[in-house]
Amino acid sequence: MADGLTIGQAAAFVGVTIKTVRHYHRLGLVAEPERDGSGYRRYGSADLLRLVQARTLAGAGVPLAEIGELLDADPERFAAALDDVHHRLTERIEDLIARRDTLHRLAHGDRALLPDRACTVLDRLADLGFGPDYVAAQREALVLSRALVPEIFDSFLTLLEHWLDDPEFVELTKRGLDARSWDPDDPRIEELASALADKLLADPAPLATPTGLRKQSDAAARYGLVNHHREDRESSIARLNTLVEANLRAAGIDIPHQ
């Protein structure tokens, strides 16, 4: 019987595949044994020890490119290298935990893209009797607002919270939703726009364009993308919003022009 093990036997003993053993050879992690008289490479105990060490380090998360140098290091350098690997693995674990938490939030709808405070506002809309379509549109607008003008997102939420505490404003907003079925030239749209503008102008301070938005060179575009989201689907709502903004500008409120 020939001394030593074949590559298949060595792989089986160590718990890896033949392909892995050959890959270790190509990377220089484990030297290829000499061939015997029959032309076969025979693996001895020293070869198996090296394979076990390489497999163990790879399984612990050490990059293959670093294993060869690590195996040849003195004890002090080996310990320092393992500390570095431990640090990197900890960072990877934290990243994976964060990704897992994101998946959990995705499974719970809004909470993947919006903070809890914004989700509470959306829940409040549903509690006040606004339908799923409107809540969905407001969700999208909040996501856009957070992405496009994050500097004013918190103040925007504060404004929404204030408006939702006002029954008259809630009722006017619901009337605005009814306008979706109206013709864009329906005179009721002008009446509703005037009523909404008057209601907003009763407390004009929050309506001023926030400094964070004014500083943006493309402020009008950002504002339009948020405040006019979905208008392309509802021409009557587009006209209502245009008239409300015109009334506010006429009263001296600085609202970006698209």
Side-chain angles (χ1 to χ4, degrees):
M1 179 178 176
D3 293 333
L5 305 173
T6 65
I7 188 172
Q9 291 171 322
F13 281 23
V14 173
V16 296
T17 65
I18 293 175
K19 182 178 180 180
T20 296
V21 174
R22 287 175 173 156
H23 188 50
Y24 287 175
H25 288 328
R26 284 194 297 273
L27 293 175
L29 306 184
V30 180
E32 291 187 89
E34 296 294 330
R35 297 183 185 276
D36 63 13
S38 302
Y40 293 101
R41 297 191 185 280
R42 295 290 176 174
Y43 291 76
S45 59
D47 300 314
L48 263 63
L49 175 61
R50 185 82 173 190
L51 282 170
V52 169
Q53 292 172 326
R55 180 211 66 192
T56 303
L57 290 172
V62 179
L64 292 179
E66 300 176 18
I67 288 177
E69 183 178 358
L70 195 57
L71 289 176
D72 295 329
D74 59 50
E76 184 178 347
R77 190 170 158 210
F78 183 84
L82 286 185
D83 285 342
D84 180 60
V85 172
H86 181 273
H87 176 71
R88 280 182 282 167
L89 284 174
T90 300
E91 289 182 335
R92 284 177 57 192
I93 289 170
E94 292 173 350
D95 179 60
L96 289 171
I97 290 173
R99 294 185 187 192
R100 181 197 63 189
D101 291 345
T102 297
L103 288 175
H104 176 74
R105 292 169 73 87
L106 279 170
H108 291 77
D110 307 325
R111 301 185 188 279
L113 298 172
L114 294 170
D116 290 341
R117 184 182 172 198
C119 294
T120 299
V121 168
L122 294 173
D123 291 341
R124 184 84 189 283
L125 286 171
D127 293 340
L128 287 169
F130 288 95
D133 286 348
Y134 181 76
V135 174
Q138 296 309 302
R139 176 189 304 115
E140 293 168 0
L142 285 171
V143 171
L144 286 170
S145 175
R146 190 186 189 198
L148 298 176
V149 279
E151 311 92 330
I152 69 168
F153 185 69
D154 285 340
S155 59
F156 180 46
L157 284 179
T158 298
L159 193 57
L160 287 176
E161 291 163 345
H162 172 69
W163 285 341
L164 293 181
D165 284 335
D166 185 335
E168 184 180 354
F169 184 84
V170 170
E171 185 58 33
L172 284 170
T173 302
K174 289 182 177 180
R175 283 180 57 194
L177 294 179
D178 292 339
R180 290 180 296 184
S181 62
W182 300 351
D183 186 277
D185 294 324
D186 192 313
R188 289 177 296 175
I189 291 181
E190 291 188 23
E191 296 171 5
L192 180 56
S194 178
L196 279 166
D198 289 345
K199 181 62 182 174
L200 292 171
L201 289 169
D203 184 15
L207 300 177
T209 303
T211 303
L213 181 57
R214 286 201 303 269
K215 289 181 178 179
Q216 300 282 353
S217 60
D218 53 359
R222 291 172 184 265
Y223 168 81
L225 287 168
V226 175
N227 206 52
H228 296 276
H229 176 56
R230 284 200 181 196
E231 280 188 359
D232 56 330
R233 308 180 194 179
E234 298 166 337
S235 56
S236 56
I237 296 299
R239 182 162 188 263
L240 175 63
N241 285 342
T242 297
L243 289 172
V244 170
E245 290 181 355
N247 288 339
L248 294 178
R249 290 191 187 100
I253 302 298
D254 178 22
I255 294 178
H257 286 271
Q258 283 187 280

